[in-house]
Amino acid sequence: MTQMKEKIDIFYFSGTGNTKWVADHLDKRLHAGSIDSRCFAIENLDYDFSEFDSLAQVGLMFPIYSSYTPRLMQEFIRKLPRVNNLPLFIIQTAWLFGGHNAADTGLPLTEKGYKPYLFANVFMPNNLNLPPFGWLPIRNGKQIQGKLKKAEKRISQLSRDIIERKNIEEGKSKLSRYFDRIQRKADLTDLARYYANDSCTGCGWCASNCPAGNIEMKDNRPVFGTSCMFCVRCYNRCPQDAIQSRYNKTTSEGYARYKGPEVE
């Protein structure tokens, strides 16, 4: 008799491609471990939550922004249905520090009937290089292969932990919680202050791909609203590198842009 595979659905948000890369690699690892897993981007998601009745586990994945979960993922989490002891894992991507945010986000879901058991971080290449953080290194292509290989090893271990439902709670030390509090005092959205320079061709890529719906095209130029999530997608992925950030008297013209883990 054929044994039914365990079903896991993973929901992710990815600003510049790091979390998508991790979700895709985790999905492949889970399939190699005889798990029937599926990945869903939460942007413009069409999903029937009644399918939760057939799941053995559910996963949430997202980048960390100043020790906070991105607003789009927070909104998605609020829409999650009530369940009966459904195991849940959360993996967040970060550059140097992940902290306790994954657990802070997941533990309250016990009130909806979820059983959060794994909270982990995967460290990926830096995607933030704008005033006043112009000193932070941005690397692309061959320069990030070493970090991606380390991430692959981490993902391989996490896939085994998920299959075995191993209890993990990263970032619960006093030092991690202290740095969480420090970072959460910063309002990074105030640093964006985006505008388009003369390199802009009016292609509309930024407006079409903004996950917050914060960009409109007027007279063939992008106009930025007040609901930016600071995902830095438009800033990094503009085809012309035309999106700039202004901080006090400093602009980001000439700053390096992160093109994502898939770009060689």
Side-chain angles (χ1 to χ4, degrees):
M1 186 175 180
T2 304
Q3 185 176 2
M4 293 289 290
K5 290 184 177 181
E6 185 174 279
K7 295 179 66 176
I8 298 178
D9 280 356
I10 301 168
F11 301 90
Y12 71 88
F13 168 70
S14 186
T16 56
N18 280 343
T19 305
K20 180 183 185 303
W21 186 92
V22 174
D24 288 342
H25 280 69
L26 178 63
D27 182 47
K28 292 176 183 177
R29 290 288 184 178
L30 291 174
H31 275 282
S34 298
I35 299 295
D36 183 12
S37 61
R38 301 185 298 177
C39 282
F40 299 91
I42 64 171
E43 291 180 59
N44 305 311
L45 178 65
D46 182 13
Y47 181 90
D48 183 359
F49 283 111
S50 66
E51 295 191 41
F52 272 31
D53 294 337
S54 65
L55 296 182
Q57 299 189 50
V58 64
L60 303 176
M61 301 180 66
F62 47 83
I64 185 172
Y65 297 159
S66 289
S67 290
Y68 280 114
T69 299
R71 188 176 69 247
L72 201 68
M73 179 57 76
Q74 292 181 34
E75 294 169 354
F76 176 79
I77 288 172
R78 285 194 288 270
K79 295 176 183 177
L80 289 175
R82 291 191 173 275
V83 293
N84 184 21
N85 292 323
L86 178 61
L88 172 125
F89 63 86
I90 294 182
I91 298 172
Q92 60 186 16
T93 55
W95 176 41
L96 291 177
F97 176 75
H100 196 251
N101 178 69
D104 291 342
T105 299
L107 288 173
L109 283 170
T110 57
E111 297 179 4
K112 281 191 171 185
Y114 294 87
K115 291 180 65 177
Y117 72 93
L118 182 146
F119 309 107
N121 303 303
V122 175
F123 295 101
M124 293 290 287
N126 177 43
N127 66 358
L128 182 64
N129 184 238
L130 76 174
F133 299 109
W135 51 271
L136 293 178
I138 288 290
R139 299 181 175 91
N140 288 292
K142 293 181 179 180
Q143 296 174 321
I144 63 174
Q145 293 310 304
K147 189 146 193 173
L148 294 183
K149 287 181 179 179
K150 289 182 180 179
E152 284 182 334
K153 291 181 180 179
R154 176 68 170 142
I155 295 164
S156 179
Q157 180 59 58
L158 286 173
S159 68
R160 294 191 291 270
D161 295 336
I162 290 168
I163 291 170
E164 297 170 6
R165 299 192 191 181
K166 184 177 180 180
N167 289 306
I168 296 175
E169 185 178 340
E170 293 185 355
K172 62 181 178 180
S173 70
K174 289 183 179 179
L175 184 61
S176 286
R177 291 175 182 269
Y178 170 77
F179 280 116
D180 278 334
R181 290 196 298 271
I182 294 298
Q183 287 202 129
R184 287 170 181 170
K185 291 180 180 180
D187 181 12
L188 292 185
T189 58
D190 188 50
L191 299 178
R193 301 183 186 179
Y194 293 132
Y195 67 97
N197 67 11
D198 292 337
S199 298
C200 177
T201 62
C203 71
W205 188 96
C206 55
S208 299
N209 289 276
C210 176
N214 188 54
I215 305 173
E216 290 185 73
M217 296 300 294
K218 292 184 178 180
D219 298 326
N220 227 30
R221 303 284 287 187
V223 176
F224 299 88
T226 59
S227 58
C228 177
M229 293 195 307
F230 203 65
C231 73
V232 293
R233 181 186 293 175
C234 65
Y235 177 78
N236 281 304
R237 305 297 286 274
C238 169
Q240 305 299 324
D241 289 346
I243 305 300
Q244 309 297 330
S245 174
R246 181 184 289 109
Y247 181 73
N248 290 333
K249 296 181 180 180
T250 305
T251 71
S252 60
E253 294 197 23
Y255 281 42
R257 310 302 171 97
Y258 180 60
K259 299 305 178 183
E262 305 290 352
V263 176
E264 298 183 358

